[in-house]
Amino acid sequence: MLSFAETLRSAAASIRGHGLRSGLTALGLVVGVASVIAVVAIVQGLSHRIKEGFAGLGANSLTVKSYTRFEDKLQGRENRIGTADLDELVLRLDGVRDVSPVLPVFGPFGAEVRLAGKTAHTRVFATTPVYQYTRQNFPAQGRFITEADEKHRRRVAVVGAKLLDDLDATAAPIGKFVEIGGEWFKIVGVMEERGELFGISQDDFVLMPFATGLALLPDQVEPDIGITFNVEDVEKLDEVRDRATTLLRRKHGIKAGRENDFKVETAEQLTDSFASLFDTVTFVFAAIVGISMLVGGIGVMNMMLVSVTERTREIGIRKALGAKKRDILAQFLIEAVLLTTIGGAIGIGVGYALGYGAAQLIPSFPPAVLPWWATVAAFGFSAGVGIAFGIAPAARAAALDPMAALRNE
Amino acid sequence: MSAPAINAILTLEAVEKTFHVAGEPVHALRGVDLEVTRGEYAAIIGPSGSGKSTLMNVLGCLERPSAGRYAIDGVDAAALDDDALADLRNRRIGFVFQDFHLLPRASALDNVMLPLLYRGGSRRAHRESAQTALADVGLADRESHLPMQLSGGQRQRVAIARALVGNPAILLADEPTGNLDAATARDIMDLFDRLNVRGHTIVLVTHDASIARRCRRTIRLADGRVVDDAPSTEAALRDAGSLQIAGRAC
Ligand SMILES: Nc1ncnc2c1ncn2[C@@H]1O[C@H](COP(=O)(O)OP(=O)(O)O)[C@@H](O)[C@H]1O
Ligand SMILES: [Mg+2]
């Protein structure tokens, strides 16, 4: 029995001996693997960035939001989470801390902000002092909203770095006055930068005291707020979620069997909804390109069949000198697998370079991330293609009769 | 049939080989009895198509007989499966072909090493034996040459080194000089002579009478049968001078 090292050496020699043909044969596979890897790297880069973005919301945080079924929305109905709900949770929900409301004061689309003749559009939220702990995001300059601000409904604003930049007010912003949706506020703090998420800045916002925000609402409008809080013991997350759900259902008078008019979500669920979207994209692309790799595999099989025919005499010589069936089988199988894994390895390299390059070229696009499982899968798949499409030609070679093979011209 | 001699290496009893070409049977061997003992130097002669190559292929375990019994070195070849037969070829038989049958992309040394590699182990382990075998046939300085870079005579020497490297019980050669010019053929035959003097058992096919006369025994085939089997007269005459040949070889 020929040793594995010798079989490998002879396979490598044979691939080198037919350099051009081997290269062309592997090309299909290289292209297939490279496209899978490039797509996976780009999509995973995006997905990674989004997960990172939500990481500010810890694994132990829960968010309560109103939820309106699509059918109800069509009929003009809109469920709300209000201040009474906030009070209810603060009062009756045990095992939580840092409960903070978030009120989009001027609606989901934000408002115009003006400073010294400069105008920008940004999102405007009203929240309480604990918000900084809930989000684990603190002022880089100045201070955050205080209880005194709440008590006196002060017109103070804490701004994001991106907004300041847009307003050309990065130099000494504290104490400046800014007009938000027609009202004047004094800037008292600038938050730490959080960077971009999915190409969108997370530092483009302005915060004001919750009481101030409520006071600014038009008379007839009921607020619809989000409530975020941290669970003290992560182990009890589900318990707390159930308890919060029970409290709010009772508060909203929802009868048994009826659907919730709100949602209680973990940060992970928020992340997962994005992640699963990207996983679907990844999977679909991988499947499409998987088919192209099968085509590459057929190319490999074709070449191996040609190679077996061409080398019939060599097989005859080897058998005459004592090669057993499994020696010949291993020789051709390892040759096919070596060819496809080399093709796969090159494909992984090229694909990562493509994905990385593309991510670099597109401005504000997150860098490509190549997860280890994609590398392992691409490599394994390449080897698998070699085995699947190399086995038939190898078996044909192994079955040759030595004398018949030697007589072959 | 008489019991095989104690030191018989090859024993054939009533061996037949029939090919089928387009449904028609072609009887290449029609019942061959033969015994070759250790140290023999035998030539198989006969007209073209008489079954010489077929006989050699059966002797070399490259082909299974259609009928009859064949034992090599005490092993009944018919009882062996393909892989065991491959092992038998690898360990007990050295085969030299008319058209060399070297691997074109492998160096002389790698070609010679090949049978040893099929026994397992690394090339490091077998390198020395292969080098010795190449030196034995006078090609110590051609180790790294490809077959393409060697003359016909040199190629056949590489093939002979490859046949000898595994220390086989018997050396079989089917018209080893058939593709060589007269002078080169003489060189190769000198090599066979020396190998026999050194104790190698050799059976070779030739249709060159002068070559046959150098051997000790001549087996004549006709139409798939052994029609004559006798000590080569000239070889017998030369026996007296064998000491001198041995001296030249060593
Ligand atoms: N593989 C084969 N298929 C069919 N017929 C064959 C085959 N090999 C040999 N023969 C036939 O068997 C006979 C003997 O051939 P062979 O042993 O090659 O003779 P020699 O070597 O003495 O010239 C010939 O008639 C030849 O045509
Ligand atoms: Mg012949």
Side-chain angles (χ1 to χ4, degrees):
Chain A
M1 180 88 191
L2 202 62
S3 71
F4 180 74
E6 277 312 313
T7 312
L8 202 62
R9 165 197 277 272
S10 118
S14 163
I15 288 173
R16 242 184 290 116
H18 297 99
L20 182 63
R21 190 169 78 185
S22 303
L24 289 174
T25 306
L27 195 61
L29 208 71
V30 170
V31 171
V33 171
S35 5
V36 178
I37 291 297
V39 168
V40 168
I42 288 174
V43 173
Q44 287 296 318
L46 280 174
S47 168
H48 191 75
R49 172 59 63 85
I50 283 176
K51 283 184 184 156
E52 234 172 45
F54 280 107
L57 281 175
N60 60 339
S61 79
L62 285 171
T63 298
V64 178
K65 292 189 298 188
S66 65
Y67 168 68
T68 311
R69 290 195 318 174
F70 189 64
E71 299 92 306
D72 294 340
K73 263 186 197 160
L74 290 181
Q75 292 170 19
R77 264 205 296 209
E78 197 74 61
N79 295 325
R80 291 175 195 283
I81 291 289
T83 48
D85 295 317
L86 176 64
D87 294 343
E88 175 80 2
L89 291 182
V90 169
L91 203 65
R92 300 191 198 277
L93 191 58
D94 293 333
V96 302
R97 55 184 155 75
D98 312 331
V99 183
S100 66
V102 175
L103 167 67
V105 184
F106 298 98
F109 305 111
E112 292 275 295
V113 179
R114 241 188 296 274
L115 195 155
K118 282 272 177 186
T119 305
H121 195 96
T122 194
R123 292 171 298 159
V124 183
F125 302 111
T127 190
T128 55
V130 293
Y131 177 86
Q132 55 188 328
Y133 303 107
T134 323
R135 302 297 299 237
Q136 288 297 304
N137 186 212
F138 301 95
Q141 299 176 49
R143 60 170 179 84
F144 199 68
I145 295 161
T146 62
E147 289 299 341
D149 293 335
E150 291 289 348
K151 197 171 166 199
H152 302 293
R153 291 180 196 162
R154 282 187 191 135
R155 303 263 170 134
V156 293
V158 177
V159 297
K162 172 70 165 45
L163 176 64
L164 271 191
D165 203 35
D166 290 348
L167 293 171
D168 277 348
T170 40
I174 307 295
K176 285 198 172 134
F177 281 86
V178 61
E179 190 186 341
I180 304 169
E183 307 283 340
W184 286 95
F185 287 77
K186 187 166 100 177
I187 297 177
V188 294
V190 180
M191 298 303 281
E192 287 167 342
E193 274 198 61
R194 289 193 306 175
E196 288 184 348
L197 166 60
F198 200 11
I200 298 168
S201 171
Q202 297 191 87
D203 302 306
D204 189 4
F205 63 87
V206 53
L207 301 174
M208 65 176 71
F210 187 60
T212 312
L214 285 176
L216 282 177
L217 290 178
D219 283 348
Q220 300 303 318
V221 174
E222 277 285 310
D224 182 22
I225 62 178
I227 303 170
T228 300
F229 49 84
N230 291 323
V231 177
E232 275 168 351
D233 180 359
V234 180
E235 299 283 301
K236 300 218 170 91
L237 193 86
D238 290 331
E239 206 175 295
V240 170
R241 176 163 44 189
D242 291 346
R243 174 91 180 120
T245 305
T246 310
L247 284 172
L248 290 174
R249 281 182 72 94
R250 202 168 63 196
K251 184 90 187 150
H252 292 191
I254 299 168
K255 294 197 184 75
R258 302 289 304 254
E259 211 180 341
N260 291 340
D261 61 357
F262 58 89
K263 273 187 172 172
V264 186
E265 288 180 324
T266 60
E268 208 174 328
Q269 279 173 316
L270 289 170
T271 315
D272 284 354
S273 53
F274 280 99
S276 72
L277 173 72
F278 286 114
D279 286 350
T280 309
V281 173
T282 306
F283 180 77
V284 167
F285 268 88
I288 291 171
V289 184
I291 292 167
S292 84
M293 284 173 76
L294 285 190
V295 175
I298 292 169
V300 170
M301 174 143 83
N302 186 41
M303 174 190 143
M304 291 309 294
L305 283 173
V306 169
S307 172
V308 168
T309 309
E310 221 179 53
R311 286 154 66 191
T312 302
R313 234 166 76 110
E314 175 194 326
I315 297 163
I317 292 169
R318 288 177 180 274
K319 286 201 152 190
L321 296 178
K324 298 184 173 73
K325 280 195 173 69
R326 58 174 181 272
D327 287 316
I328 303 295
L329 187 82
Q331 182 187 341
F332 281 88
L333 199 56
I334 285 176
E335 195 174 316
V337 172
L338 189 64
L339 186 67
T340 57
T341 46
I342 289 174
I346 294 173
I348 290 169
V350 170
Y352 185 66
L354 279 178
Y356 186 80
Q360 287 278 303
L361 282 180
I362 306 170
S364 83
F365 211 78
V369 170
L370 187 56
W372 65 268
W373 57 261
T375 312
V376 171
F379 211 72
F381 202 82
S382 305
V385 165
I387 293 172
F389 292 94
I391 190 86
R396 170 185 284 204
L400 282 174
D401 174 69
M403 209 50 227
L406 275 177
R407 283 196 198 97
N408 191 276
E409 282 311 304
Chain B
M1 234 195 125
S2 58
I6 300 295
N7 54 354
I9 287 184
L10 295 178
T11 315
L12 268 67
E13 282 179 27
V15 164
E16 294 177 19
K17 179 72 189 179
T18 307
F19 295 103
H20 293 273
V21 181
E24 292 297 307
V26 177
H27 301 283
L29 298 176
R30 298 168 184 267
V32 173
D33 296 317
L34 195 66
E35 198 168 85
V36 177
T37 53
R38 211 168 292 279
E40 262 198 290
Y41 190 16
I44 298 175
I45 60 169
S48 181
S50 56
K52 304 185 295 294
S53 291
T54 307
L55 179 58
M56 288 303 274
N57 294 340
V58 169
L59 294 179
C61 294
L62 288 166
E63 225 149 33
R64 291 175 186 276
S66 313
R69 283 164 45 89
Y70 171 44
I72 175 161
D73 223 4
V75 180
D76 179 6
L80 301 178
D81 66 10
D82 287 352
D83 282 350
L85 220 49
D87 204 50
L88 190 70
R89 287 197 293 272
N90 183 266
R91 291 175 188 277
R92 318 250 178 147
I93 296 164
F95 209 109
V96 178
F97 302 90
Q98 179 173 351
D99 39 10
F100 323 135
H101 283 332
L102 299 175
L103 294 185
R105 292 176 186 281
S107 70
L109 190 68
D110 283 348
N111 265 292
V112 173
M113 216 184 298
L114 198 55
L116 297 181
L117 290 175
Y118 279 114
R119 291 181 186 182
S122 70
R123 39 201 310 113
R124 271 242 298 286
H126 297 309
R127 197 182 168 85
E128 214 169 302
S129 321
Q131 283 171 326
T132 308
L134 262 185
D136 272 355
V137 298
L139 288 178
D141 53 343
R142 301 299 171 112
E143 280 181 10
S144 57
H145 288 220
L146 294 176
M148 193 177 76
Q149 297 162 329
L150 298 170
S151 72
Q154 287 168 333
R155 285 182 211 184
Q156 195 59 299
R157 283 168 190 272
V158 173
I160 292 168
R162 182 180 65 183
L164 289 172
V165 74
N167 253 315
I170 188 165
L171 195 58
L172 302 171
D174 188 358
E175 304 208 35
T177 60
N179 283 3
L180 304 175
D181 60 63
T184 315
R186 260 197 308 283
D187 283 349
I188 294 294
M189 284 316 298
D190 287 344
L191 179 57
F192 277 113
D193 289 351
R194 289 204 299 278
L195 291 171
N196 177 245
V197 168
R198 269 163 53 181
H200 285 281
T201 310
I202 300 172
V203 177
L204 58 81
V205 169
T206 181
H207 50 225
D208 182 332
S210 69
I211 287 177
R213 277 195 299 275
R214 302 172 75 136
C215 303
R216 315 286 182 97
R217 173 183 176 190
T218 305
I219 300 155
R220 184 182 298 277
L221 282 189
D223 199 20
R225 287 191 181 86
V226 176
V227 292
D228 188 28
D229 187 353
S232 313
T233 35
E234 198 180 313
L237 283 175
R238 266 194 328 169
D239 264 355
S242 68
L243 277 177
Q244 187 202 336
I245 295 169
R248 194 177 58 190
C250 299

